[in-house]
Amino acid sequence: MFTKKARLWVIGIAILLLGWTIIQQVYEISGVIIIGIGLLIWGYFREGTVIMAARAFHAKNYDEAEVLLKEIEDPDRLGKHRRGFYEFIYGNLELHRHNYDEAEKHFQIASKFPLRNQNDKAIVLVHLANINLRKKDVERARAYVEMAKTFKISLRVKNIIEKIETEIKKA
C-alpha cells in the first residue's frame, strides 16, 4: 500500500542496498532485495492504490480518493478483486458528484468483477437501480432490484431495496 512516489523511493533505496550487498558479496541478501523490488513492482500493477483510495473515501475525503485512483494508469492491469473495488469507489465518487452517466458506467463494470462479499455486489446493483430510476427507466431498475434480491444482503440494503420498489410502483 504505497503511492507511486513512495514505491519509487523504496525501490531507489533498495537498489542502493542491492549495490552494497553485491559489493560485499552477500548474495543471499541481494536475492532477497531483488525479490522485494519485484514484489513492489508487481504490487504497483496488480494492487495499485485502491485500498488507500477506499480509506480516503470512507473518511469522506473524496478529492484524495480520486487522486489515488487516478494514480492507477491502467485499471485493466489490476487484479480482478482490486478492479471491482476500483470501479465501485469510482462509481461512488461520480455518484457523489451527481454525474450519473459516469457512475452507471463504473457500477456496471464493478458488477462484472468480484467484490468483498455478496452485500457489496447487491449495493452495486442497488446503485444501478437507483440511477435507472432517476433516468425513468423503470424496467432496468426493476431488473437490477430483482438481481440484488438474489444475494445475501444486510437489513440496511433490504430496506433500501424496499424503498426503491415503492418508487418503482409509483412510476
Side-chain angles (χ1 to χ4, degrees):
M1 287 191 286
F2 292 120
T3 62
K4 184 177 182 179
K5 190 176 182 180
R7 283 180 200 271
L8 290 173
W9 274 101
V10 171
I11 289 173
I13 292 169
I15 288 173
L16 290 174
L17 262 169
L18 179 64
W20 182 78
T21 57
I22 290 173
I23 289 169
Q24 296 297 317
Q25 297 179 350
V26 187
Y27 300 117
E28 296 85 5
I29 296 175
S30 300
V32 171
I33 293 171
I34 290 171
I35 290 170
I37 291 171
L39 286 173
L40 278 169
I41 294 170
W42 176 84
Y44 172 72
F45 291 109
R46 298 296 290 175
E47 305 292 323
T49 54
V50 175
I51 299 299
M52 292 169 48
R55 286 185 184 152
F57 180 79
H58 288 295
K60 298 189 184 335
N61 191 345
Y62 302 121
D63 293 332
E64 182 183 346
E66 184 178 16
V67 167
L68 288 167
L69 287 178
K70 283 187 176 182
E71 200 172 287
I72 299 169
E73 294 170 12
D74 187 8
D76 291 329
R77 288 186 179 168
L78 291 172
K80 62 183 178 179
H81 290 283
R82 292 290 186 246
R83 176 68 191 273
F85 213 43
Y86 169 89
E87 297 295 345
F88 179 70
I89 296 167
Y90 227 116
N92 278 305
L93 287 172
E94 295 297 339
L95 195 61
H96 179 73
R97 288 191 196 112
H98 305 288
N99 189 354
Y100 300 117
D101 291 331
E102 279 297 308
E104 182 178 19
K105 182 182 96 173
H106 287 291
F107 284 131
Q108 284 177 346
I109 295 170
S111 70
K112 294 178 176 120
F113 288 95
L115 295 170
R116 262 187 323 195
N117 53 39
Q118 290 187 0
N119 196 56
D120 285 351
K121 194 78 148 176
I123 289 171
V124 168
L125 295 171
V126 165
H127 281 309
L128 286 167
N130 213 348
I131 290 168
N132 281 289
L133 196 57
R134 288 175 191 253
K135 291 179 167 182
K136 307 279 191 244
D137 192 347
V138 178
E139 289 305 314
R140 283 182 78 183
R142 185 175 292 127
Y144 284 127
V145 166
E146 291 304 316
M147 280 192 284
K149 288 164 115 181
T150 63
F151 293 106
K152 183 179 176 185
I153 54 178
S154 68
L155 185 60
R156 182 177 143 250
V157 176
K158 280 183 186 178
N159 291 335
I160 295 169
I161 288 174
E162 289 171 4
K163 288 179 185 176
I164 292 174
E165 285 178 325
T166 57
E167 290 296 319
I168 289 173
K169 288 176 186 173
K170 288 180 185 176

